[in-house]
Amino acid sequence: MTIFSDFALHKTIVQAIHDMGFEEPSPIQAACIPKILEGVDMIGQAQTGTGKTAAFGIPLLEKMTPANRIQAIVLTPTRELAIQVAGELRRIAKYKKIKTLPIYGGQSITHQIRALKQGVQVVIGTPGRVLDHLRRKTLRLDNVSMLVLDEADEMLDMGFIEDIETIINHLNEERQTLLFSATMPVEIKRLATRYMKNPETVAVSREEVTAPLIEQVYYKVFERNKVESLCRILDSEDVDLGIIFCRTKRGVDELSEVLQARGYLADGLHGDLSQAQRDKVMKAFREGTIEFLIATDVAARGIDVGNVSHVINFDIPQDPESYVHRIGRTGRAGRKGIAMTLVTPREMRQMMIIQKQTKAAVITRNVPTLEEVAERKQEQLREQLVELLESNAVAEMYEKVVEGLAQEYSLEKIAAAALHLAFHSEPGEGGEQEAYDFGETGAAKGMVRFFLNVGRNANLKPQDLVREISETVGIPGKAVGRIDIFENFTFVEVPDEVAPFVYEALRQTRINGKRINMEPAKPRGKR
Ligand code: AMP
């Protein structure tokens, strides 16, 4: 396995890459970075999503010096890409005194001229605007030692070839030229032959890889509401255990935080965690106390958990092999599994390539609408209610309340009001630590008694419950009070002062793989 520090890179660059959360070079990076550092002209056949920007960005920035002159120019087909590439380069150059500037049509040219005058080392521009500056002599390219043509086939499609040739004619012959393109039409090949010196070609994995036979779908999503889309998808699925893949360690941390804040049982796994932390997360995942494991490719390597029902590519994989690796985490041992990939418009091409090379039938689905999610939630609520009704585990006290109310209101209205009370939450609420008052729970003095909706039916034994409580709350096992396990439910008493913790910690957990629900108990009849 190659790591970034294997390359001849200055530590400032390696540190910046680390900060960006990249764990290891993507295939195109592993192939390109050493060659570009050597000074070779290169053609990279790669599309968005493969890490191509950093593949040229890292060696490019390694070679830049703080001298006040433009040393590299990157040409891109669109302003969006120019801005995006400039952003990525800026992050790589975080600890190096190198200035990057995007110049594109649509932005005030005087503003750009002013920025250029302040001195920059790397310019990222669209061909039209770059040419404009050259004509006005507001851009000097005679010191450029590196030219990058990014998404060359797109530039060809947009009719920029002539502009590109004009720009190249302003450059030194003594330069390194890099060309990145998803496809290689003859015009691009011709450009390469004419303007590049013995270029070497790198293509990311052209071999076929076989995807396992599991259901595969992808969702078209927009970058700006990717998290919301993910949540809707999760809410409308019956997930046993799910692995959610992110590209970077940072991505893993951010997504874990957001999902936890939204109440999902989720935790992250990546290479910056200590072995002990990783073991803890994996244990929780195996036991089902967390439902979603959020991981990078590297961290997920070697994970062997049997009942993963969902693999979700929150970020699209960088190559077909990685896709196959990821989705192979589900559908183990003849079980059913589904692989879902979130695809932004810019990543569609990458999705198509994955599909083609894996020969997989990946069908597309729409992100569920709010109404669909609500419908699904209703269904789940109904299932929970039926289960409760069948198990006869409803506390007597509730029945008394209903009987009383039934004198005045219809049973439909009472039930609906009860559900509203139980499940309705104001959006944006929560987060604040509430003060708990569990009221009279029929417990011994100084204790709070809780009702759990599982019992012998979940193979629950007193020692399981004691261990669970003492471990999650950090109290000695003997501090746990009286435990009564019945067929379908359980009562447990815990000390007053830890009751809120126990409540928060256990309310949404699973014991022996069964999801538990926990409530303060009601006193046994009124004496
Ligand atoms: P690109 O193919 O250049 O458009 O990159 C797609 C995304 O992958 C960008 O968000 C990059 O920041 C990210 N990326 C690039 N290289 C790596 C890497 N080695 N590890 C993780 N993420 C990466």
Side-chain angles (χ1 to χ4, degrees):
M1 180 175 121
T2 325
I3 52 174
F4 283 106
S5 49
D6 290 344
F7 301 132
L9 297 171
H10 199 265
K11 60 178 187 308
T12 50
I13 299 275
V14 176
Q15 181 59 43
I17 297 170
H18 179 266
D19 289 0
M20 289 164 82
F22 297 0
E23 288 194 300
E24 61 172 14
S26 68
I28 187 92
Q29 291 162 1
C32 285
I33 295 173
K35 295 254 159 122
I36 300 176
L37 286 172
E38 273 173 34
V40 178
D41 276 7
M42 291 212 70
I43 300 175
Q45 195 166 349
Q47 53 289 318
T48 306
T50 53
K52 66 174 171 64
T53 314
F56 66 76
I58 291 169
L60 180 148
L61 287 159
E62 174 68 31
K63 292 182 168 207
M64 296 297 107
T65 70
N68 186 4
R69 48 177 188 258
I70 298 169
Q71 298 157 51
I73 178 155
V74 182
L75 295 177
T76 70
T78 61
R79 69 182 264 178
E80 288 75 26
L81 188 61
I83 294 169
Q84 203 175 308
V85 169
E88 184 113 334
L89 297 191
R90 198 171 316 116
R91 285 189 287 276
I92 300 170
K94 181 174 168 190
Y95 300 111
K96 218 177 153 175
K97 285 202 171 58
I98 302 296
K99 279 207 178 137
T100 58
L101 181 73
I103 54 174
Y104 44 83
Q107 193 191 38
S108 129
I109 197 151
T110 37
H111 168 85
Q112 289 172 356
I113 293 170
R114 219 175 306 133
L116 282 167
K117 276 200 183 128
Q118 284 173 8
V120 300
Q121 284 81 22
V122 185
V123 161
I124 305 98
T126 49
R129 184 51 74 97
V130 169
L131 213 51
D132 206 354
H133 279 286
L134 283 174
R135 292 200 183 106
R136 290 166 183 249
K137 302 210 181 327
T138 45
L139 184 67
R140 293 193 48 188
L141 298 180
D142 30 2
N143 285 306
V144 164
S145 55
M146 204 182 235
L147 162 72
V148 183
L149 303 172
D150 194 12
E151 302 201 351
D153 50 355
E154 293 284 323
M155 294 202 277
L156 169 75
D157 287 349
M158 295 174 71
F160 283 141
I161 287 291
E162 264 180 44
D163 288 357
I164 293 174
E165 299 203 54
T166 317
I167 296 167
I168 294 180
N169 289 328
H170 277 82
L171 302 178
N172 248 322
E173 292 258 323
E174 281 306 300
R175 59 154 202 273
Q176 188 175 13
T177 307
L178 312 173
L179 183 150
F180 287 80
S181 194
T183 58
M184 282 293 156
V186 285
E187 292 91 332
I188 298 296
K189 287 197 184 127
R190 189 187 58 85
L191 200 67
T193 328
R194 187 177 292 179
Y195 298 104
M196 298 176 80
K197 286 184 264 353
N198 309 318
E200 285 191 28
T201 302
V202 172
V204 226
S205 100
R206 311 295 300 156
E207 289 151 43
E208 243 168 56
V209 277
T210 340
L213 290 172
I214 56 166
E215 195 182 346
Q216 296 167 54
V217 300
Y218 73 87
Y219 292 91
K220 291 188 183 120
V221 300
F222 294 103
E223 193 66 53
R224 73 185 131 71
N225 49 15
K226 224 172 163 189
V227 172
E228 175 62 29
S229 302
L230 174 71
C231 291
R232 288 193 195 176
I233 294 166
L234 300 183
D235 290 347
S236 56
E237 287 286 315
D238 278 324
V239 182
D240 230 339
L241 290 180
I243 302 183
I244 305 178
F245 281 96
C246 289
R247 207 143 30 211
T248 64
K249 292 180 276 194
R250 238 169 76 185
V252 166
D253 285 339
E254 285 167 9
L255 190 62
S256 311
E257 245 173 62
V258 177
L259 290 188
Q260 283 168 359
R262 291 191 179 214
Y264 295 92
L265 301 172
D267 213 342
L269 195 72
H270 59 61
D272 276 1
L273 301 178
S274 70
Q275 188 61 41
Q277 286 170 313
R278 261 182 294 185
D279 290 347
K280 192 163 157 253
V281 174
M282 277 316 296
K283 181 164 178 282
F285 187 57
R286 247 184 226 109
E287 292 175 350
T289 39
I290 57 171
E291 219 168 333
F292 297 103
L293 182 72
I294 305 160
T296 55
D297 288 284
V298 176
R301 230 164 256 164
I303 288 183
D304 192 7
V305 177
N307 48 334
V308 173
S309 58
H310 287 64
V311 164
I312 298 154
N313 295 314
F314 181 71
D315 290 325
I316 195 163
Q318 283 169 328
D319 62 338
E321 277 91 351
S322 146
Y323 178 80
V324 169
H325 255 109
R326 287 181 180 187
I327 71 170
R329 311 270 149 216
T330 181
R332 294 265 167 123
R335 284 198 180 86
K336 269 184 82 173
I338 182 164
M340 306 176 149
T341 305
L342 273 57
V343 185
T344 62
R346 288 187 54 79
E347 293 164 343
M348 276 306 287
R349 203 192 316 224
Q350 172 79 340
M351 185 67 229
M352 293 304 139
I353 286 175
I354 288 173
Q355 199 163 344
K356 196 156 145 241
Q357 279 189 40
T358 57
K359 291 213 159 62
V362 190
I363 56 162
T364 172
R365 270 201 214 158
N366 291 327
V367 174
T369 60
L370 277 179
E371 290 72 31
E372 282 163 337
V373 173
E375 223 168 83
R376 181 78 195 102
K377 284 201 166 150
Q378 274 175 29
E379 208 175 290
Q380 284 169 343
L381 183 57
R382 207 186 139 270
E383 282 165 14
Q384 281 176 11
L385 286 171
V386 169
E387 203 178 307
L388 197 61
L389 288 166
E390 303 262 301
S391 69
N392 256 332
V394 180
E396 210 181 296
M397 188 201 107
Y398 294 142
E399 289 184 13
K400 288 225 171 77
V401 174
V402 175
E403 274 166 28
L405 286 167
Q407 316 276 344
E408 276 185 65
Y409 304 95
S410 76
L411 287 174
E412 283 85 0
K413 282 262 186 291
I414 299 169
L419 292 177
H420 182 92
L421 194 62
F423 295 101
H424 187 74
S425 58
E426 294 300 330
E429 256 188 7
E432 283 298 304
Q433 183 84 22
E434 291 171 65
Y436 279 99
D437 178 10
F438 296 115
E440 176 55 72
T441 60
K445 198 161 181 289
M447 306 289 274
V448 172
R449 198 163 69 112
F450 285 107
F451 165 86
L452 263 73
N453 67 338
V454 291
R456 282 196 292 274
N457 58 356
N459 211 5
L460 185 65
K461 299 196 186 60
Q463 60 268 35
D464 297 340
L465 199 52
V466 170
R467 188 177 17 89
E468 188 67 30
I469 294 175
S470 72
E471 278 178 12
T472 39
V473 188
I475 55 169
K478 59 178 187 311
V480 178
R482 183 185 168 132
I483 294 179
D484 292 312
I485 301 185
F486 299 91
E487 183 56 27
N488 298 317
F489 55 93
T490 299
F491 288 106
V492 59
E493 294 187 8
V494 298
D496 258 337
E497 66 278 9
V498 293
F501 285 90
V502 175
Y503 186 57
E504 284 286 319
L506 266 77
R507 207 150 47 124
Q508 287 195 10
T509 178
R510 290 183 192 220
I511 292 185
N512 294 341
K514 235 189 139 163
R515 192 191 286 281
I516 66 161
N517 188 22
M518 187 171 188
E519 281 157 32
K522 301 296 168 211
R524 282 156 277 210
K526 255 206 163 153
R527 267 163 275 170

